[in-house]
């Protein structure tokens, strides 16, 4: 881990102690109760009349809540606690998030309106009213995003020697280099499209950078000038570094591809005068639907849908703010869009492509300090992972602890002659990942390898098709799951012969089998040889690969069958405890909370006096702080260096606490339309450790945003107290020390 000053180390140790987090030891004093009332419940008068928990006023709209999460991400670009390049990264992530928001969420609302479907969600709002509010908020925030970029981040980057040169700022030497680059790299691959009766408006690829060009004069065929479309080559980078010798002393300087094309547009139309050249970008509906009743081959159907995704109906048009009204109106007519769908921006229309700069700039002082993920003490060097897991359950908290034991276990299994069979689910991974390499090695080595691949993982469909082909060629059995249910569970199951008997080993996780995201997302991994859990996982795999009903699953909770009912039951159990005057407390940490019956269960728990602490990163449709309904519910969202991704649930259970981790969020799709698993942390020391981790998030006063009853989020402040960042505290507790 990076060096720290004594003051910094002391502060983190103090924060760690305050949060109840330790390294891998288990002899820590009990964590102080957050709720200091005598019974553990807040006394309150009974309501005069029972509240109608189905009342739409008790629910936030999920799409608007999703948009609020994106706004919290944008706020990080202004937070000077983050290093400068990471602030730029958050601004670009906001762009990427908004692209997907329009491609999926806005597109879905538009499609619903086009069908005349006025179905409302729990909040009771019509699709049209939601779309109107989304448009207002999105316009405000996208305009604000460009102000942050132009007025705050670019000047700050320039002060640190990183400059993005506008065309008006090029000196003679830079202009000459740009001209040469244009002639060498751009001109040979660019394809202008004149618009006339024989050249109708082209079909433009989703989110591609394009220019609409006004021309004057006659071309080689005597045709009068008019309008042309100039697509920017998708194979070229959007940001190009100037040669070092052309940069000002002490500067790294960059130019945008859009500026290069704009500066030399007349060369693309020789003999014509360019009267105007304006960049634009169209965002299309990118959702994919496959009718299970009309598909005989899912892989083939998805290949067709992937092509169609590039040309879905338009949902948003971005144009540079200098584009004349008549040209933007012309584009809107071509794409069948309305005025609310038009976004005028003061800068490049494809900000997400600036991400390439973050990887190219070698300025470590402007980024988060690197760290080395830690390892539990039980994983000693040279010890077989099978022996370590057989000794006791192992729990890893990524990225603070390494993901490598999961990869190493599969690698060891692939080479171990005593391992007979390997089964695994894959949702988001790469065709060339270490996980896949080990599965290929195991299959080629003659082991029984079965892989359940979810081809329909959104925006990873193409990678998963390639991954499926590679595994099949190696001899693995590849299953695409259940047609009407996405397989979202994260499971690995290995059968090994030991002393003449078969022994089972399992990995269960809250996140994907992906090496890169394991360094960026917070997730839990459980490695266990517990016979009951292993048998349950075996039964789920049998259910996925076969056609019969699963036999009794004893410990694991399993969507779409038992997970929802049991979660509601455990929340109601806390309410029953509180009603009897016992201390009742639950902590729910997940990415989204939108499912109405789970929300109603939480409302009932609050009414009964249960202290409900919810850590919901993104969408939350529950409205906290309502008298008589949710005054005992607190909702916070943690936005920081790492993407919070753990799904973990704590229940006080009358003094017999239970801790569960899951692949599922508290959403309708996870509970009823996906194959999910939720597994208990059976080892008491590990369960206590997870509880401490959760307590750490509850005392965060640096990166925590509290949801208010009106739907706004307020960032928590340390005030006069010691600042505590949950992620920094966990990083200090679990990462390798150096």
């Amino acid at each position: 881990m990076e060096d720290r000053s004594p003051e910094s180390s002391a502060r983190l140790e103090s924060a760690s102690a305050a949060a109840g987090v330790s390294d891998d030891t288990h002899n820590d004093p009990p964590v102080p109760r957050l709720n200091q009332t005598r019974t553990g419940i807040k006394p309150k008068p009974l309501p005069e009349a029972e509240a109608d928990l189905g009342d739409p006023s008790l629910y936030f709209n999920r799409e608007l809540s999703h948009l609020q999460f994106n706004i919290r991400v944008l706020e990080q670009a202004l937070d000077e606690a983050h290093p400068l390049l990471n602030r730029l990264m958050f601004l670009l992530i906001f762009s990427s998030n908004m692209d997907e928001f329009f491609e999926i969420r806005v597109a879905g609302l538009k499609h619903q309106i086009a069908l005349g479907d006025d179905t409302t969600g729990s909040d009771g709002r019509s699709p049209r009213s939601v779309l109107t509010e989304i448009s207002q908020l999105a316009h405000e925030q996208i305009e604000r995003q460009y102000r942050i970029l132009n007025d705050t981040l670019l000047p700050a980057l320039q002060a640190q020697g990183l400059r993005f040169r506008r065309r008006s700022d090029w000196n003679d030497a830079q202009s000459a280099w740009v001209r040469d680059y244009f002639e060498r790299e751009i001109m040979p691959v660019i394809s202008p499209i004149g618009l006339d009766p024989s050249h109708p408006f082209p079909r433009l690829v989703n989110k591609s950078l394009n220019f609409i060009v006004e021309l004057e004069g006659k071309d080689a065929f005597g045709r009068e000038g008019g309008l042309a479309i100039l697509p920017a080559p998708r194979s070229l980078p959007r940001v190009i570094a100037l040669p070092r010798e052309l940069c000002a002393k002490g500067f790294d300087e960059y130019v945008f591809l859009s500026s290069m094309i704009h500066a030399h547009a007349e060369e693309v139309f020789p003999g014509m005068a360019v009267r105007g050249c304006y960049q634009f970008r169209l965002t299309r509906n990118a959702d994919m639907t496959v009718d299970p009743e009309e598909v005989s081959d899912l892989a083939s159907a998805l290949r067709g849908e992937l092509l169609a995704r590039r040309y879905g109906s338009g949902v948003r048009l971005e144009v540079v703010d200098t584009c004349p009204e008549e040209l933007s109106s012309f584009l809107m007519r071509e794409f069948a869009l309305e005025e609310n769908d038009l976004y005028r921006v003061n800068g490049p229309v494809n900000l997400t492509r600036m991400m390439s700069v973050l990887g190219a700039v070698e300025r470590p002082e402007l980024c988060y300090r690197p760290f080395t993920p830690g390892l539990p003490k039980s994983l000693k060097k040279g010890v077989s992972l099978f022996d370590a897991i057989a000794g006791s359950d192992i729990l890893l908290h990524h990225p603070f602890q390494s993901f490598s034991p999961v990869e190493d276990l599969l690698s060891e299994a692939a080479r171990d002659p005593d391992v007979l069979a390997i089964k695994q689910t894959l949702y988001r991974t790469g065709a060339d990942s270490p996980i896949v390499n080990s599965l290929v090695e195991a299959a080629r080595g003659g082991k029984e390898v079965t892989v359940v691949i979810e081809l329909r993982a959104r925006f990873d469909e193409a990678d998963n098709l390639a991954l499926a082909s590679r595994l099949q060629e190696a001899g693995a059995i590849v299953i695409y799951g259940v047609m009407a249910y996405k397989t979202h569970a994260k499971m690995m199951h290995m059968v090994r012969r030991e002393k003449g008997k078969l022994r089972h080993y399992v990995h269960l996780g809250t996140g994907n089998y992906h090496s890169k995201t394991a360094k960026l997302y917070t997730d839990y991994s459980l490695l266990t040889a517990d016979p009951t859990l292993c048998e349950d996982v075996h039964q789920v795999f049998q259910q996925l690969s076969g056609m019969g009903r699963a036999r009794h699953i004893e410990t694991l909770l399993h969507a779409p069958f038992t997970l929802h009912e049991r979660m509601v039951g455990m929340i109601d159990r806390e309410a029953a405890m509180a009603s009897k005057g016992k201390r009742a407390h639950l902590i729910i940490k997940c990415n989204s909370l939108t499912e109405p019956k789970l929300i109603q269960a939480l409302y009932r728990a609050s009414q009964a006096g249960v202290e409900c602490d919810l850590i919901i990163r993104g969408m939350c449709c529950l409205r906290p702080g309502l008298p008589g309904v949710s005054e005992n519910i607190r909702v916070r969202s943690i936005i920081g260096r790492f993407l919070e991704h753990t799904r973990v649930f704590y229940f006080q259970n009358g003094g017999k606490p239970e801790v569960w981790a899951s692949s599922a969020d508290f959403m309708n799709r996870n509970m009823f339309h996906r194959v999910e698993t939720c597994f208990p942390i059976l080892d008491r020391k590990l369960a206590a450790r997870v509880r401490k981790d959760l307590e750490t998030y509850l005392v965060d006063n640096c990166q925590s945003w509290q949801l208010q009853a009106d739907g706004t989020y307020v960032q928590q402040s340390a005030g006069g107290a010691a600042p505590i960042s949950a992620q920094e505290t966990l990083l200090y507790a679990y990462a390798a020390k150096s």
Side-chain angles (χ1 to χ4, degrees):
M1 196 171 181
E2 70 272 17
D3 293 333
R4 290 191 175 92
S5 67
E7 293 80 9
S8 173
S9 296
R11 181 177 65 80
L12 283 173
E13 286 172 357
S14 174
S16 180
V21 173
S22 69
D23 200 345
D24 250 354
T25 60
H26 302 292
N27 298 317
D28 311 294
V31 179
R33 283 185 5 211
L34 291 183
N35 181 5
Q36 298 295 336
T37 57
R38 184 177 61 82
T39 62
I41 58 175
K42 290 182 179 178
K44 64 177 186 61
L46 293 174
E48 293 182 3
E50 186 175 342
D52 176 10
L53 299 185
D55 184 343
S57 68
L58 301 183
Y59 300 85
F60 295 125
N61 178 266
R62 58 167 285 169
E63 317 302 354
L64 292 170
S65 182
H66 191 167
L67 186 52
Q68 286 289 343
F69 164 68
N70 291 339
I71 294 170
R72 293 197 297 282
V73 172
L74 178 59
E75 289 288 343
Q76 307 308 303
L78 291 170
D79 188 344
E80 295 183 0
H82 299 298
L84 184 55
L85 282 176
N86 294 105
R87 291 169 60 192
L88 175 62
M89 178 194 71
F90 281 114
L91 181 123
L92 304 182
I93 290 173
F94 172 78
S95 279
S96 176
N97 287 356
M98 290 301 288
D99 283 351
E100 184 173 343
F101 183 75
F102 276 92
E103 289 174 299
I104 305 300
R105 310 315 317 175
V106 172
L109 288 169
K110 282 178 167 287
H111 183 65
Q112 191 177 347
I113 292 169
L115 294 177
D117 181 0
D118 290 328
T119 304
T120 62
S122 301
D123 60 295
R125 296 191 57 171
S126 71
R128 194 173 295 278
S129 73
V130 173
L131 197 58
T132 298
E133 188 166 345
I134 285 174
S135 176
Q136 178 185 342
L137 265 175
H139 276 90
E140 291 172 358
Q141 296 302 320
I142 289 172
E143 181 184 354
R144 180 166 170 259
Q145 175 194 22
Y146 279 87
R147 287 202 310 272
I148 294 171
L149 176 68
N150 294 321
D151 300 341
T152 303
L153 294 184
L154 292 183
L157 289 166
Q158 182 166 325
Q160 295 295 325
L162 297 173
R163 180 157 50 201
F164 294 85
R165 285 271 190 180
R166 296 180 179 271
R167 283 183 298 133
S168 57
D169 296 331
W170 296 344
N171 59 36
D172 291 344
Q174 291 167 341
S175 296
W177 183 87
V178 168
R179 175 180 290 277
D180 179 67
Y181 185 96
F182 180 86
E183 292 174 351
R184 285 186 295 105
E185 302 290 338
I186 301 175
M187 193 65 172
V189 293
I190 207 163
S191 298
I193 304 167
L195 301 182
D196 61 28
S198 62
H199 296 84
F201 198 95
R203 294 182 71 193
L204 301 175
V205 174
N206 182 30
K207 297 184 296 186
S208 59
L209 171 62
N210 303 277
F211 296 82
I212 184 167
V213 185
E214 288 184 295
L215 298 170
E216 190 175 89
K218 293 186 178 182
D219 70 2
F221 297 96
R223 295 175 296 185
E224 288 288 344
L227 295 178
I229 299 298
L230 192 58
R234 304 188 78 205
S235 57
L236 296 180
R238 294 302 188 253
V239 185
I240 298 98
L242 285 169
R244 177 70 66 179
E245 62 271 16
L246 296 180
C247 299
K249 186 177 180 181
F251 276 82
D252 292 312
E253 300 192 307
Y254 300 86
V255 294
F256 290 101
L257 177 70
S258 55
S259 297
M260 291 182 166
I261 292 175
H262 199 158
H264 296 284
E266 287 199 348
E267 295 184 31
V268 183
F269 304 95
M272 308 284 285
V274 173
R275 297 304 181 195
C277 180
Y278 310 100
Q279 55 178 304
F280 71 92
R281 188 175 77 140
L282 177 69
T283 306
R284 295 183 180 273
N285 182 339
D287 207 3
M288 294 174 59
T289 55
V290 178
D291 188 342
E293 296 183 1
E294 297 182 3
V295 172
S296 57
D297 185 339
L298 179 58
S300 297
L302 277 178
R303 288 188 180 96
E305 284 291 312
L306 282 171
L307 292 174
R309 169 186 279 171
R310 302 173 71 187
Y311 300 104
S313 57
V315 294
R316 174 182 60 166
L317 175 64
E318 296 165 280
V319 300
V320 68
D321 57 5
T322 55
C323 182
E325 184 72 31
E326 61 269 20
L327 292 186
S328 59
S329 296
F330 168 77
L331 291 171
M332 283 192 290
R333 288 194 299 273
E334 288 293 333
F335 301 132
L337 295 174
E338 300 175 356
E339 187 66 31
N340 282 346
D341 303 316
L342 177 67
Y343 290 77
R344 294 183 173 275
V345 300
N346 181 17
V349 298
N350 54 340
L351 283 180
T352 306
R353 295 292 291 270
M354 286 181 68
M355 282 283 191
S356 60
V357 174
L358 299 178
V361 172
E362 296 183 3
R363 298 290 300 275
E365 73 278 13
L366 301 181
C367 302
Y368 292 123
R369 291 182 180 181
F371 68 96
T372 301
L375 285 172
K377 294 177 181 177
S378 58
L379 296 182
K380 299 177 182 177
K381 191 172 182 179
V383 174
S384 163
L385 280 162
F386 287 111
D387 291 342
I389 298 167
S392 64
D393 287 358
I394 295 170
L395 185 71
L396 302 169
H397 194 174
H398 315 303
F400 317 110
Q401 292 179 298
S402 177
F403 184 69
S404 62
V406 180
E407 296 174 326
D408 293 344
L409 176 64
L410 192 54
S411 177
E412 184 177 338
R415 298 189 308 270
D416 188 338
D418 293 326
V419 172
L420 307 180
I422 302 171
K423 295 182 181 181
Q424 184 161 6
T425 59
L426 294 178
Y427 190 76
R428 297 189 191 277
T429 189
D432 295 321
S433 74
I435 291 284
V436 177
N437 292 340
S438 294
L439 290 170
V440 167
E441 181 183 356
R444 287 177 177 166
K447 300 186 190 303
E448 191 73 12
V449 177
T450 304
V451 185
V452 182
I453 300 177
E454 183 46 71
L455 294 180
R456 294 161 294 175
R458 184 176 290 147
F459 299 117
D460 280 302
E461 297 93 346
D463 285 345
N464 285 351
L465 285 166
L467 154 60
S469 297
R470 185 178 175 214
L471 286 167
Q472 286 170 330
E473 289 168 4
I477 299 171
V478 175
I479 299 166
Y480 298 143
V482 183
M483 187 64 200
Y485 301 86
K486 284 187 179 181
T487 302
H488 193 248
K490 326 298 183 188
M491 307 181 294
M492 183 195 303
H493 177 229
M494 283 155 283
V495 181
R496 188 172 188 252
R497 190 179 299 281
E498 298 178 3
K499 298 179 181 179
K501 296 182 180 180
L502 296 185
R503 184 156 191 182
H504 299 248
Y505 295 85
V506 153
H507 168 266
L508 290 161
T510 66
N512 298 303
Y513 292 104
H514 197 294
S515 303
K516 183 177 180 180
T517 57
K519 297 175 182 176
L520 303 173
Y521 295 6
T522 68
D523 274 304
Y524 282 110
S525 280
L526 177 68
L527 299 166
T528 182
D530 178 82
T532 304
L533 268 180
C534 289
E535 177 59 25
D536 285 352
V537 170
H538 171 65
Q539 290 297 327
V540 175
F541 272 114
Q542 293 291 92
Q543 186 183 58
L544 286 170
S545 61
M547 296 292 289
R549 291 178 176 270
R551 288 181 291 179
H552 177 65
I553 295 178
E554 188 170 337
T555 305
L556 209 65
L557 304 184
H558 182 204
F561 304 106
T562 59
L563 177 55
H564 182 263
E565 180 182 0
R566 287 289 302 280
M567 277 294 130
V568 170
M570 283 189 272
I571 296 169
D572 285 343
R573 183 182 62 190
E574 290 298 307
M577 295 287 181
S579 297
K580 295 175 183 177
K582 295 182 179 180
R583 180 175 188 257
H585 185 205
L586 61 83
I587 308 172
I588 303 293
K589 184 176 186 295
C590 59
N591 302 326
S592 299
L593 170 59
T594 63
E595 203 283 313
K597 286 185 170 54
L598 287 166
I599 293 174
Q600 290 173 16
L602 289 165
Y603 284 155
R604 290 195 298 272
S606 174
Q607 289 174 323
V610 179
E611 292 297 320
C612 304
D613 285 298
L614 311 182
I615 308 165
I616 313 296
R617 184 195 78 207
M619 292 182 287
C620 181
C621 295
L622 177 147
R623 189 185 291 268
L626 298 177
V629 177
S630 58
E631 69 264 43
N632 291 320
I633 301 178
R634 295 165 294 278
V635 180
R636 65 180 61 220
S637 171
I638 306 289
I639 310 290
R641 172 177 182 173
F642 306 112
L643 181 75
E644 289 298 331
H645 197 250
T646 48
R647 292 97 166 192
V648 60
F649 322 126
Y650 166 83
F651 300 96
Q652 174 67 19
N653 189 29
K656 299 177 181 178
E658 292 182 0
V659 174
W660 297 76
S662 181
S663 61
D665 287 309
F666 275 27
M667 300 177 70
N668 183 279
R669 69 185 188 189
N670 298 95
M671 296 293 161
F672 304 114
H673 303 290
R674 289 185 173 185
V675 176
E676 305 273 14
T677 54
C678 181
F679 50 97
I681 308 299
L682 298 174
D683 184 293
R684 293 181 63 185
K685 291 181 179 179
L686 297 180
R689 186 187 125 189
V690 174
R691 165 69 190 272
K692 290 180 181 181
D693 290 351
L694 289 171
E695 295 281 8
T696 306
Y697 287 105
L698 296 181
V699 296
D700 185 298
N701 55 23
C702 294
Q703 298 169 322
S704 175
W705 295 74
Q706 197 89 20
L707 176 59
Q708 308 300 300
D710 63 358
T712 60
Y713 282 80
V714 176
Q715 187 169 12
Q716 301 304 286
S717 171
I724 300 175
S725 161
Q727 293 186 355
E728 277 292 309
T729 302
L730 293 170
L731 190 64
Y732 184 76
Y734 295 129
K737 306 296 190 297
S738 64

